[in-house]
PDB file of all heavy atoms in Angstrom:
ATOM      1  N   ILE I 769     226.206  21.428 109.380  1.00 98.00           N
ATOM      2  CA  ILE I 769     226.178  22.037 108.048  1.00 98.00           C
ATOM      3  C   ILE I 769     227.098  23.243 107.933  1.00 98.00           C
ATOM      4  O   ILE I 769     227.475  23.641 106.824  1.00 98.00           O
ATOM      5  CB  ILE I 769     224.741  22.438 107.653  1.00 98.00           C
ATOM      6  CG1 ILE I 769     224.180  23.501 108.610  1.00 98.00           C
ATOM      7  CG2 ILE I 769     223.823  21.205 107.621  1.00 98.00           C
ATOM      8  CD1 ILE I 769     222.862  24.113 108.164  1.00 98.00           C
ATOM      9  N   HIS I 770     227.463  23.833 109.075  1.00 98.00           N
ATOM     10  CA  HIS I 770     228.256  25.064 109.035  1.00 98.00           C
ATOM     11  C   HIS I 770     228.822  25.330 110.429  1.00 98.00           C
ATOM     12  O   HIS I 770     228.193  24.975 111.426  1.00 98.00           O
ATOM     13  CB  HIS I 770     227.362  26.248 108.612  1.00 98.00           C
ATOM     14  CG  HIS I 770     228.091  27.524 108.331  1.00 98.00           C
ATOM     15  ND1 HIS I 770     227.518  28.767 108.523  1.00 98.00           N
ATOM     16  CD2 HIS I 770     229.341  27.761 107.868  1.00 98.00           C
ATOM     17  CE1 HIS I 770     228.367  29.709 108.166  1.00 98.00           C
ATOM     18  NE2 HIS I 770     229.480  29.130 107.775  1.00 98.00           N
ATOM     19  N   TRP I 771     230.001  25.914 110.475  1.00 98.00           N
ATOM     20  CA  TRP I 771     230.526  26.453 111.724  1.00 98.00           C
ATOM     21  C   TRP I 771     230.424  27.971 111.619  1.00 98.00           C
ATOM     22  O   TRP I 771     231.066  28.590 110.777  1.00 98.00           O
ATOM     23  CB  TRP I 771     231.964  26.011 111.959  1.00 98.00           C
ATOM     24  CG  TRP I 771     232.076  24.576 112.362  1.00 98.00           C
ATOM     25  CD1 TRP I 771     232.132  23.494 111.556  1.00 98.00           C
ATOM     26  CD2 TRP I 771     232.117  24.077 113.705  1.00 98.00           C
ATOM     27  NE1 TRP I 771     232.198  22.336 112.297  1.00 98.00           N
ATOM     28  CE2 TRP I 771     232.207  22.664 113.625  1.00 98.00           C
ATOM     29  CE3 TRP I 771     232.089  24.674 114.966  1.00 98.00           C
ATOM     30  CZ2 TRP I 771     232.268  21.853 114.747  1.00 98.00           C
ATOM     31  CZ3 TRP I 771     232.155  23.868 116.090  1.00 98.00           C
ATOM     32  CH2 TRP I 771     232.240  22.474 115.971  1.00 98.00           C
ATOM     33  N   ARG I 772     229.594  28.567 112.455  1.00 98.00           N
ATOM     34  CA  ARG I 772     229.373  30.013 112.427  1.00 98.00           C
ATOM     35  C   ARG I 772     229.757  30.620 113.763  1.00 98.00           C
ATOM     36  O   ARG I 772     229.251  30.216 114.811  1.00 98.00           O
ATOM     37  CB  ARG I 772     227.907  30.322 112.109  1.00 98.00           C
ATOM     38  CG  ARG I 772     227.617  31.804 111.842  1.00 98.00           C
ATOM     39  CD  ARG I 772     226.145  32.044 111.575  1.00 98.00           C
ATOM     40  NE  ARG I 772     225.313  31.738 112.727  1.00 98.00           N
ATOM     41  CZ  ARG I 772     224.294  30.892 112.709  1.00 98.00           C
ATOM     42  NH1 ARG I 772     223.956  30.259 111.604  1.00 98.00           N
ATOM     43  NH2 ARG I 772     223.591  30.668 113.817  1.00 98.00           N
ATOM     44  N   ASP I 773     230.681  31.555 113.729  1.00 96.00           N
ATOM     45  CA  ASP I 773     231.171  32.207 114.952  1.00 96.00           C
ATOM     46  C   ASP I 773     231.708  31.190 115.951  1.00 96.00           C
ATOM     47  O   ASP I 773     231.626  31.394 117.173  1.00 96.00           O
ATOM     48  CB  ASP I 773     230.054  33.040 115.602  1.00 96.00           C
ATOM     49  CG  ASP I 773     229.531  34.135 114.689  1.00 96.00           C
ATOM     50  OD1 ASP I 773     230.323  34.664 113.886  1.00 96.00           O
ATOM     51  OD2 ASP I 773     228.326  34.453 114.775  1.00 96.00           O
ATOM     52  N   GLY I 774     232.241  30.092 115.438  1.00 97.00           N
ATOM     53  CA  GLY I 774     232.834  29.073 116.296  1.00 97.00           C
ATOM     54  C   GLY I 774     231.855  28.052 116.847  1.00 97.00           C
ATOM     55  O   GLY I 774     232.257  27.179 117.633  1.00 97.00           O
ATOM     56  N   TYR I 775     230.595  28.126 116.438  1.00 98.00           N
ATOM     57  CA  TYR I 775     229.580  27.207 116.948  1.00 98.00           C
ATOM     58  C   TYR I 775     229.061  26.301 115.824  1.00 98.00           C
ATOM     59  O   TYR I 775     228.897  26.750 114.690  1.00 98.00           O
ATOM     60  CB  TYR I 775     228.398  27.975 117.540  1.00 98.00           C
ATOM     61  CG  TYR I 775     228.745  28.804 118.752  1.00 98.00           C
ATOM     62  CD1 TYR I 775     228.978  30.172 118.631  1.00 98.00           C
ATOM     63  CD2 TYR I 775     228.854  28.218 120.010  1.00 98.00           C
ATOM     64  CE1 TYR I 775     229.306  30.940 119.745  1.00 98.00           C
ATOM     65  CE2 TYR I 775     229.172  28.972 121.128  1.00 98.00           C
ATOM     66  CZ  TYR I 775     229.404  30.332 120.987  1.00 98.00           C
ATOM     67  OH  TYR I 775     229.727  31.082 122.090  1.00 98.00           O
ATOM     68  N   PRO I 776     228.783  25.033 116.143  1.00 98.00           N
ATOM     69  CA  PRO I 776     228.268  24.123 115.115  1.00 98.00           C
ATOM     70  C   PRO I 776     226.794  24.380 114.828  1.00 98.00           C
ATOM     71  O   PRO I 776     225.965  24.457 115.732  1.00 98.00           O
ATOM     72  CB  PRO I 776     228.463  22.735 115.742  1.00 98.00           C
ATOM     73  CG  PRO I 776     228.440  22.975 117.221  1.00 98.00           C
ATOM     74  CD  PRO I 776     229.007  24.349 117.433  1.00 98.00           C
ATOM     75  N   VAL I 777     226.480  24.510 113.529  1.00 98.00           N
ATOM     76  CA  VAL I 777     225.108  24.749 113.084  1.00 98.00           C
ATOM     77  C   VAL I 777     224.600  23.483 112.400  1.00 98.00           C
ATOM     78  O   VAL I 777     225.238  22.977 111.480  1.00 98.00           O
ATOM     79  CB  VAL I 777     225.040  25.937 112.106  1.00 98.00           C
ATOM     80  CG1 VAL I 777     223.615  26.156 111.614  1.00 98.00           C
ATOM     81  CG2 VAL I 777     225.593  27.206 112.753  1.00 98.00           C
ATOM     82  N   PHE I 778     223.472  22.979 112.841  1.00 98.00           N
ATOM     83  CA  PHE I 778     222.849  21.812 112.222  1.00 98.00           C
ATOM     84  C   PHE I 778     221.706  22.224 111.290  1.00 98.00           C
ATOM     85  O   PHE I 778     221.375  21.506 110.364  1.00 98.00           O
ATOM     86  CB  PHE I 778     222.310  20.860 113.294  1.00 98.00           C
ATOM     87  CG  PHE I 778     223.383  20.151 114.075  1.00 98.00           C
ATOM     88  CD1 PHE I 778     224.045  20.794 115.116  1.00 98.00           C
ATOM     89  CD2 PHE I 778     223.743  18.844 113.773  1.00 98.00           C
ATOM     90  CE1 PHE I 778     225.038  20.144 115.841  1.00 98.00           C
ATOM     91  CE2 PHE I 778     224.729  18.185 114.484  1.00 98.00           C
ATOM     92  CZ  PHE I 778     225.389  18.842 115.526  1.00 98.00           C
ATOM     93  N   THR I 779     221.102  23.371 111.573  1.00 98.00           N
ATOM     94  CA  THR I 779     219.999  23.902 110.772  1.00 98.00           C
ATOM     95  C   THR I 779     219.781  25.349 111.161  1.00 98.00           C
ATOM     96  O   THR I 779     220.103  25.763 112.288  1.00 98.00           O
ATOM     97  CB  THR I 779     218.693  23.112 111.010  1.00 98.00           C
ATOM     98  OG1 THR I 779     217.620  23.738 110.296  1.00 98.00           O
ATOM     99  CG2 THR I 779     218.340  23.056 112.481  1.00 98.00           C
ATOM    100  N   MET I 780     219.238  26.138 110.243  1.00 98.00           N
ATOM    101  CA  MET I 780     218.882  27.513 110.590  1.00 98.00           C
ATOM    102  C   MET I 780     217.559  27.581 111.340  1.00 98.00           C
ATOM    103  O   MET I 780     217.169  28.652 111.812  1.00 98.00           O
ATOM    104  CB  MET I 780     218.829  28.370 109.331  1.00 98.00           C
ATOM    105  CG  MET I 780     220.186  28.776 108.811  1.00 98.00           C
ATOM    106  SD  MET I 780     220.077  29.901 107.404  1.00 98.00           S
ATOM    107  CE  MET I 780     219.998  28.736 106.041  1.00 98.00           C
ATOM    108  N   SER I 781     216.864  26.471 111.464  1.00 96.00           N
ATOM    109  CA  SER I 781     215.585  26.471 112.161  1.00 96.00           C
ATOM    110  C   SER I 781     215.735  26.267 113.663  1.00 96.00           C
ATOM    111  O   SER I 781     214.741  26.200 114.387  1.00 96.00           O
ATOM    112  CB  SER I 781     214.657  25.392 111.585  1.00 96.00           C
ATOM    113  OG  SER I 781     215.159  24.107 111.864  1.00 96.00           O
ATOM    114  N   SER I 782     216.963  26.155 114.142  1.00 97.00           N
ATOM    115  CA  SER I 782     217.230  26.141 115.578  1.00 97.00           C
ATOM    116  C   SER I 782     218.569  26.820 115.819  1.00 97.00           C
ATOM    117  O   SER I 782     219.400  26.920 114.900  1.00 97.00           O
ATOM    118  CB  SER I 782     217.224  24.719 116.146  1.00 97.00           C
ATOM    119  OG  SER I 782     218.356  23.995 115.716  1.00 97.00           O
ATOM    120  N   PRO I 783     218.815  27.300 117.027  1.00 98.00           N
ATOM    121  CA  PRO I 783     220.080  27.988 117.289  1.00 98.00           C
ATOM    122  C   PRO I 783     221.278  27.057 117.160  1.00 98.00           C
ATOM    123  O   PRO I 783     221.163  25.834 117.271  1.00 98.00           O
ATOM    124  CB  PRO I 783     219.922  28.473 118.736  1.00 98.00           C
ATOM    125  CG  PRO I 783     218.448  28.470 118.997  1.00 98.00           C
ATOM    126  CD  PRO I 783     217.910  27.331 118.188  1.00 98.00           C
ATOM    127  N   ALA I 784     222.443  27.649 116.929  1.00 98.00           N
ATOM    128  CA  ALA I 784     223.677  26.874 116.889  1.00 98.00           C
ATOM    129  C   ALA I 784     223.907  26.203 118.241  1.00 98.00           C
ATOM    130  O   ALA I 784     223.625  26.787 119.294  1.00 98.00           O
ATOM    131  CB  ALA I 784     224.853  27.781 116.538  1.00 98.00           C
ATOM    132  N   LEU I 785     224.416  24.990 118.204  1.00 97.00           N
ATOM    133  CA  LEU I 785     224.668  24.247 119.440  1.00 97.00           C
ATOM    134  C   LEU I 785     225.707  24.976 120.294  1.00 97.00           C
ATOM    135  O   LEU I 785     226.680  25.519 119.771  1.00 97.00           O
ATOM    136  CB  LEU I 785     225.153  22.842 119.095  1.00 97.00           C
ATOM    137  CG  LEU I 785     225.201  21.822 120.240  1.00 97.00           C
ATOM    138  CD1 LEU I 785     223.801  21.586 120.808  1.00 97.00           C
ATOM    139  CD2 LEU I 785     225.791  20.498 119.751  1.00 97.00           C
ATOM    140  N   PHE I 786     225.470  25.008 121.612  1.00 96.00           N
ATOM    141  CA  PHE I 786     226.345  25.626 122.623  1.00 96.00           C
ATOM    142  C   PHE I 786     226.255  27.157 122.632  1.00 96.00           C
ATOM    143  O   PHE I 786     226.909  27.802 123.446  1.00 96.00           O
ATOM    144  CB  PHE I 786     227.815  25.214 122.464  1.00 96.00           C
ATOM    145  CG  PHE I 786     228.037  23.734 122.385  1.00 96.00           C
ATOM    146  CD1 PHE I 786     228.721  23.173 121.319  1.00 96.00           C
ATOM    147  CD2 PHE I 786     227.551  22.883 123.368  1.00 96.00           C
ATOM    148  CE1 PHE I 786     228.921  21.811 121.235  1.00 96.00           C
ATOM    149  CE2 PHE I 786     227.745  21.520 123.302  1.00 96.00           C
ATOM    150  CZ  PHE I 786     228.428  20.982 122.223  1.00 96.00           C
ATOM    151  N   SER I 787     225.471  27.747 121.737  1.00 98.00           N
ATOM    152  CA  SER I 787     225.347  29.203 121.707  1.00 98.00           C
ATOM    153  C   SER I 787     224.378  29.672 122.792  1.00 98.00           C
ATOM    154  O   SER I 787     223.614  28.883 123.364  1.00 98.00           O
ATOM    155  CB  SER I 787     224.846  29.660 120.334  1.00 98.00           C
ATOM    156  OG  SER I 787     223.506  29.206 120.107  1.00 98.00           O
ATOM    157  N   LYS I 788     224.380  30.966 123.067  1.00 98.00           N
ATOM    158  CA  LYS I 788     223.468  31.521 124.066  1.00 98.00           C
ATOM    159  C   LYS I 788     221.996  31.363 123.659  1.00 98.00           C
ATOM    160  O   LYS I 788     221.159  31.059 124.516  1.00 98.00           O
ATOM    161  CB  LYS I 788     223.822  32.980 124.341  1.00 98.00           C
ATOM    162  CG  LYS I 788     225.125  33.148 125.118  1.00 98.00           C
ATOM    163  CD  LYS I 788     225.417  34.602 125.445  1.00 98.00           C
ATOM    164  CE  LYS I 788     226.698  34.719 126.257  1.00 98.00           C
ATOM    165  NZ  LYS I 788     227.024  36.144 126.577  1.00 98.00           N
TER     166      LYS I 788
END
Side-chain angles (χ1 to χ4, degrees):
I769 63 171
H770 189 210
W771 286 85
R772 189 182 64 235
D773 300 328
Y775 296 99
V777 178
F778 290 80
T779 175
M780 282 185 272
S781 67
S782 71
L785 192 62
F786 308 125
S787 66
K788 289 183 178 179

